[in-house]
Amino acid sequence: MSVEADQLPDGYPFTKLYRKRVAENQDLAIIISDHQNRRGTGKTIFSLKLASLMDRTKEGITQEKVAVGPDQLLESYMELPKGSALVLDEAEAGLSKYEAASGVNKAMRELVSMGRIQEKYLVLNLPASSELDRDLKALCDFWFMVQSKGKALGHFLRWNPYSEEPRTPKTDSWEWSDIPESSDLRNVYDYLTSEKLAHLRGEREESSQRITATEAKNMVEKAKEEARTETRNELLGSVYDDLDVTQKELANSVGLSRSRLADIV
């Protein structure tokens, strides 16, 4: 499924869930995460595009509807009109994954305590799903796990009262491309990017994320390494599909174990 259209597609499980919540005047909370906690896979773009398809207000997605911290999200939730889609991006990106999830979990608990009757559609762009508090999953309704750049797999988030564990049945794959330069949504993306950078530098009063030059350098190096690994994996997949070669032969040629290669291809 592609999110390039101007409305959510008919027949898809997520679309049915969204329309049911709209009809019942209820909130909808969505998690978007990367199972390997990678950056550069398009989570922010997907978050904004999905929010733009859900927002039912005349003005659509604006700068006021995106946040880089839970406190901003709570403020927007209370002040903006019904039918608004709100995006929380990166969830305190400079903090540890544990602290980030804790902050968002606290915010979601506050929203639930309000009764969740504001008719808002929340998109929470979070750290790696393995680090998320299970209670946070219980408080949300749907989860998109990013598998590769521009592609995610949708899951329902349902609570099993017997085992007291969340269940995450899979649904459909979703794909997206970059936001066009000339669009209003691109302006919101640019604003959000600048706010995240300012937050990381500690230039906002509410920021708790100031990072050192060494930490910033390490973040850049990590991103570069992840990009190299992703490119290598794509090439290995192509070679394995196009050539008559066994996994063992290909693994030996690139210095990987056969089991590791099997995970890649």
Side-chain angles (χ1 to χ4, degrees), residues 240-260:
Y240 184 69
D241 290 338
D242 297 339
L243 300 181
D244 184 16
V245 61
T246 66
Q247 288 186 358
K248 183 177 180 180
E249 291 170 338
L250 183 55
N252 290 338
S253 69
V254 295
L256 295 174
S257 67
R258 194 206 64 77
S259 59
R260 177 68 185 107

Side-chain angles (χ1 to χ4, degrees), residues 10 25 69 116 127 130 141 144 148 151 162-163 174-175 178 235 240:
D10 293 331
N25 301 320
R116 298 182 68 177
S130 61
D141 307 296
F144 288 101
S148 59
K151 185 176 181 179
Y162 298 102
S163 64
W174 289 57
E175 297 182 2
D178 201 1
L235 289 172
Y240 184 69

Side-chain angles (χ1 to χ4, degrees), residues 8 13-23 26 28 53-56 83 121:
L8 292 170
F14 176 76
T15 303
K16 292 179 180 179
L17 174 62
Y18 165 74
R19 290 176 178 171
K20 181 179 179 181
R21 292 301 175 86
V22 171
Q26 293 182 326
L28 179 64
L53 294 178
M54 293 190 294
D55 191 279
R56 298 190 298 114
Y121 317 114

Side-chain angles (χ1 to χ4, degrees), residues 64-259:
E64 292 75 24
K65 294 179 180 179
V66 296
V68 294
D71 290 342
Q72 290 176 287
L73 177 69
L74 285 169
E75 183 177 347
S76 298
Y77 182 86
M78 294 303 300
E79 294 184 356
L80 294 179
K82 292 183 178 181
S84 293
L86 309 176
V87 175
L88 173 62
D89 188 80
E90 295 297 329
E92 303 291 323
L95 299 177
S96 75
K97 290 174 284 188
Y98 301 101
E99 292 173 304
S102 176
V104 179
N105 186 56
K106 180 181 177 182
M108 284 302 300
R109 286 185 180 280
E110 290 191 36
L111 295 182
V112 170
S113 70
M114 297 174 190
R116 298 182 68 177
I117 55 172
Q118 293 293 318
E119 298 178 43
K120 306 287 171 60
Y121 317 114
L122 313 178
V123 182
L124 311 177
N125 184 350
L126 301 181
S129 57
S130 61
E131 307 296 344
L132 297 182
D133 191 314
R134 73 171 189 174
D135 291 340
L136 178 57
K137 291 181 179 179
L139 296 174
C140 294
D141 307 296
F142 205 87
W143 169 36
F144 288 101
M145 182 179 70
V146 176
Q147 299 174 305
S148 59
K149 187 172 183 178
K151 185 176 181 179
L153 180 63
H155 303 72
F156 284 113
L157 289 176
R158 294 170 176 164
W159 184 255
N160 186 329
Y162 298 102
S163 64
E164 296 189 346
E165 292 284 348
R167 294 188 297 113
T168 58
K170 298 177 182 178
T171 60
D172 304 292
S173 292
W174 289 57
E175 297 182 2
W176 64 95
S177 60
D178 201 1
I179 300 173
E181 290 289 342
S182 58
S183 67
D184 292 337
L185 195 61
R186 187 71 190 192
N187 294 332
V188 177
Y189 173 82
D190 291 340
Y191 164 78
L192 183 56
T193 300
S194 66
E195 283 297 297
K196 286 194 293 183
L197 289 173
H199 212 61
L200 286 169
R201 298 190 193 107
E203 296 173 1
R204 296 292 181 266
E205 289 184 4
E206 72 278 10
S207 177
S208 58
Q209 302 191 68
R210 180 180 290 276
I211 61 175
T212 66
T214 300
E215 290 172 328
K217 181 180 178 180
N218 290 339
M219 291 172 65
V220 171
E221 292 301 321
K222 181 181 179 182
K224 289 181 178 179
E225 180 60 30
E226 289 172 349
R228 286 192 290 267
T229 299
E230 184 174 347
T231 300
R232 181 205 65 183
N233 292 349
E234 290 175 354
L235 289 172
L236 288 174
S238 297
V239 170
Y240 184 69
D241 290 338
D242 297 339
L243 300 181
D244 184 16
V245 61
T246 66
Q247 288 186 358
K248 183 177 180 180
E249 291 170 338
L250 183 55
N252 290 338
S253 69
V254 295
L256 295 174
S257 67
R258 194 206 64 77
S259 59

Side-chain angles (χ1 to χ4, degrees), residues 32-48:
I32 297 178
S33 67
D34 188 296
H35 71 299
Q36 295 181 1
N37 198 30
R38 296 167 295 182
R39 302 199 181 277
T41 52
K43 288 191 301 173
T44 298
I45 291 173
F46 184 39
S47 298
L48 290 173

